[in-house]
Amino acid sequence: MKKIFLFLFLFPLFAFAQKTTILKGTVKNKDKQPIEGVAVKYNTTGTTTDKNGKYSIRVPFKQEISIVFSHIAYKTFTKKFTAKSRNGVRLTVTLVPKTEQLKEIIVKDNTKKAKGLKKIDINVVKNVIGPNAGVENILMTLPGVNNNNELSTQYNVRGGNFDENLVYVNGIEVYRPFLVRSGQQEGLSFINPHMVRNIDFSAGGFQAKYGDKLSSVLDITYRKPTKVATTIDLSFLGASATFEAPLIKDKLTAISSFRYRDNSLFVNSKQIETNFRPKFIDFQTYLSFDASDYLRFNFLGNFSLNNYNYKPISRRTRFGTVADPLELIVFYSGQEQDNYLTLFGALSTEYEINDYLSLTGTVSRYNTQEEERFDIAATYSLGEVDANIGSENFGNVEFSQGIGSQLNHARNDLDALFTNAQIRGKYKVDRMQFNFGVKYQKEDIRDRIREWEVIDSLGFSIRPPNHISNNQPYQPFDGPITPFQNIRTENKVEINRISGFIQFNERMYWNDNEVWYNIGLRAHNWTIKGNGITSKNQTILSPRAQFAIKPNWRKDMLFRASAGWYSQPPSYRELRDFNGNINVDLKAQKSIHLVLGMDYSFKMWERPFKLTTEAYFKDLTNVNSYTVDNVRIRYRADNNATAFAHGIDFRLNGEFVPGSDSWVSLGYLKTQEDIDNRGNISRPTDQRIKFGILFQDYVPNLPNLKAYLNLVYNTGVPGGSPAYADVYQFQERLRDYKRADIGVSYIFTDANKKYKSGWLSKFKELSAGLELFNMFDIQNSITNTWVRDVYSKRQYGIPNFMTGRVLNLKLSMKL
């Protein structure tokens, strides 16, 4: 196995002997910010700068050439140049912005489109509203991306679940909490939108350089500041402060951000009356030091503390039909106290060995310490509501058909420590590029579960599911009283992983058509030691390929296809079954992906638009089935299922309003699974229809007054069943998810409107706005509370409604 990884690492390191040398450098603007997409060309040879403004091009040795730097927003720069060194030469260029107004020209990044990556504008992320404003909030508006819980930043992609998504920040994988049960416990996402420079997202069929998951990739790059600035956001939902500055003659850059989140405004809009005192805080910092033109050091650190103190008081919910309404009244006692502490640190080194080869080495450590403590007793009454309009008791409960109580108890602790070291490299020659890397990761998890539930109905304890039934109160029962659910487990798990990849990329011309393709292979080896039991050594291989072509047509169209055999080695959460037991021999889930896509750019109403279409198919084997309760995923921890998913996504984006980018999304999905050869049933993420609108507008006569609309409609997913239910016996769907959020803001000053005197001159940016969440006050539900009538033995699923209409005031400033 070691020979395989050595081969993967050394294969790209070969030399080319030509009568040429490498010219490389950086293209910046007058503010020293890198410019992406600059065309660098001499004669018929050319390249473009990357997101860091860097370029590399092969030029003749000891021969004078004229090299041209051109960009649609900057003046063209031409320089006569002679390369006098075979070891490569550097040329850094500063471009001057054009003074003329640009009207009908669009800058396109075809390389990312060819790779199936959607580039998301960070300015849209900052402006568009949502209960969890940020990067994930924008993802929810894209086709194929779903989540029916507005308090959660987790998302499902094309039939996958939350655990099947890769998230990278500056090339480092980040993780989500283990024990979180509901969206209102989550707090803040790891991704801080105030620090983000670049966002790329792939909904499937992604490259081999990304990791081993089944669904999607979110690739985030934090920015390096060029000026001193402080950004402050204040609202009823929390606050944030971000400081950024270049230091030591611009060799060191630093950006740090503190965030505070309070979900009380949303939780208090629910039907459960509570005393809710959350404290969600987060601090992140990103430092970058340029030791030389060839060597750079980076550090990314994160501290997050979520204290969730929840004390329910009462609840009143009406449900049923107009002719047969029912009402549930619940009185609570007790409380829940949860603590989630996360520490993360990563140190990376970027080194350009020569004009062809660059390496990045990273060491990181992630630690999460999570505690769940709750004792909550609930006494309920389920009654029939008088629906007779002429009755004196109209609208009141006239008969209680179910009375009972339940007690939930937990003392759960989890401590997880992830340590990894990786090296990634890039070897680039002209339009060909090799990417390669190898990574070692050790995961150490200590998990203690003490959790039980006792249910009482009319004074009689309800026995656990699948136990011998009894006929109380008509016949006495002499057996022991046992909890309805009871889990007592302690797990100590260690996972060691070694993974590596190699990928070849090339951009070329076929006749007059522009072509991109890449071919890659990933390998992943792991062993698991759980509670003294060591698994067998397991290895998977994951080949992947992408192809894209942009025909030389009058119409601006790009076609792409991707295919691969994707695998997902099990994480700790997947190893643990419903009862907390560990299956160390669990195999990796596997999926064959096929994706066909098209981008069509055109003009409508004399403004730019783009239609993106993607059709996909997934064939999954070794599937580890699961159930979803709110955001808690519970696995069967076996490989006894097969599954499939197929669908099609459409997205039309453009300037529906001049100068403002908006889009409309539509997606269709079908995903089913076959567990133990019992036949196909819908998976928990089988959300057939997704429709989303993200719309930005402004008042023509008052352009600084802007409006934002975020509208989502998702059809219902299978769910809401009791935890012990057989999924083949319960295939009911939750109600459709419908939500509309709207915001209005006024920009007092920004880069386009500056003041030289007065109080506004102290601000670089200043805006204030109102946000109305769930403006139609639609009752969405994601889970059910199950109560029973002891006489009829009937169970009722009462929907747990999400947040109602909420008004928020927001103030943003940059100093």
Side-chain angles (χ1 to χ4, degrees), residues 640-666:
N640 294 348
T642 59
F644 71 86
H646 62 251
I648 187 167
D649 294 333
F650 302 93
R651 177 171 174 252
L652 175 65
N653 70 290
E655 296 184 13
F656 291 90
V657 175
S660 297
D661 193 25
S662 304
W663 60 73
V664 178
S665 300
L666 177 64

Side-chain angles (χ1 to χ4, degrees), residues 490-695:
E490 291 189 15
N491 295 319
K492 182 180 178 181
V493 177
E494 181 180 300
I495 307 175
N496 289 281
R497 306 179 189 271
I498 300 177
S499 61
F501 75 93
I502 185 169
Q503 179 175 306
F504 173 73
N505 315 265
E506 185 174 12
R507 172 174 169 261
M508 57 183 291
Y509 284 90
W510 178 32
N511 296 329
D512 292 330
N513 306 310
E514 196 170 9
V515 173
W516 297 261
Y517 72 92
N518 67 73
I519 302 173
L521 176 68
R522 289 193 64 85
H524 192 131
N525 174 270
W526 73 97
T527 58
I528 303 171
K529 183 177 181 180
N531 300 331
I533 302 174
T534 303
S535 72
K536 296 179 181 179
N537 191 296
Q538 299 189 60
T539 302
I540 56 98
L541 296 176
S542 176
R544 308 173 189 179
Q546 294 181 323
F547 176 84
I549 182 170
K550 188 177 187 304
N552 186 25
W553 295 346
R554 286 182 121 185
K555 293 186 177 180
D556 187 353
M557 304 183 76
L558 183 145
F559 301 90
R560 60 180 176 272
S562 59
W565 191 16
Y566 292 78
S567 298
Q568 180 167 316
S571 64
Y572 173 71
R573 188 184 287 107
E574 296 168 74
L575 296 172
R576 197 176 79 176
D577 67 10
F578 291 170
N579 296 316
N581 301 314
I582 299 299
N583 179 8
V584 297
D585 291 318
L586 189 70
K587 297 179 182 179
Q589 300 184 83
K590 296 185 177 182
S591 175
I592 296 176
H593 283 206
L594 298 173
V595 181
L596 299 175
M598 180 199 72
D599 291 338
Y600 173 38
S601 300
F602 60 97
K603 285 196 174 183
M604 185 167 59
W605 308 314
E606 299 300 319
R607 296 192 291 272
F609 284 82
K610 184 173 73 173
L611 174 65
T612 301
T613 305
E614 283 193 343
Y616 56 90
F617 174 79
K618 302 179 186 181
D619 182 22
L620 296 96
T621 55
N622 289 345
V623 173
N624 186 2
S625 298
Y626 58 89
T627 62
V628 180
D629 182 9
N630 204 304
V631 298
R632 186 189 191 192
I633 300 178
R634 303 174 68 189
Y635 289 91
R636 287 168 52 105
D638 58 32
N639 299 109
N640 294 348
T642 59
F644 71 86
H646 62 251
I648 187 167
D649 294 333
F650 302 93
R651 177 171 174 252
L652 175 65
N653 70 290
E655 296 184 13
F656 291 90
V657 175
S660 297
D661 193 25
S662 304
W663 60 73
V664 178
S665 300
L666 177 64
Y668 168 79
L669 161 71
K670 182 177 181 180
T671 180
Q672 293 186 327
E673 62 186 353
D674 181 359
I675 305 173
D676 295 326
N677 295 317
R678 298 174 64 185
N680 285 333
I681 57 171
S682 295
R683 305 191 78 193
T685 53
D686 184 32
Q687 196 143 44
R688 293 298 172 90
I689 300 296
K690 158 69 180 285
F691 178 73
I693 295 177
L694 190 150
F695 189 76

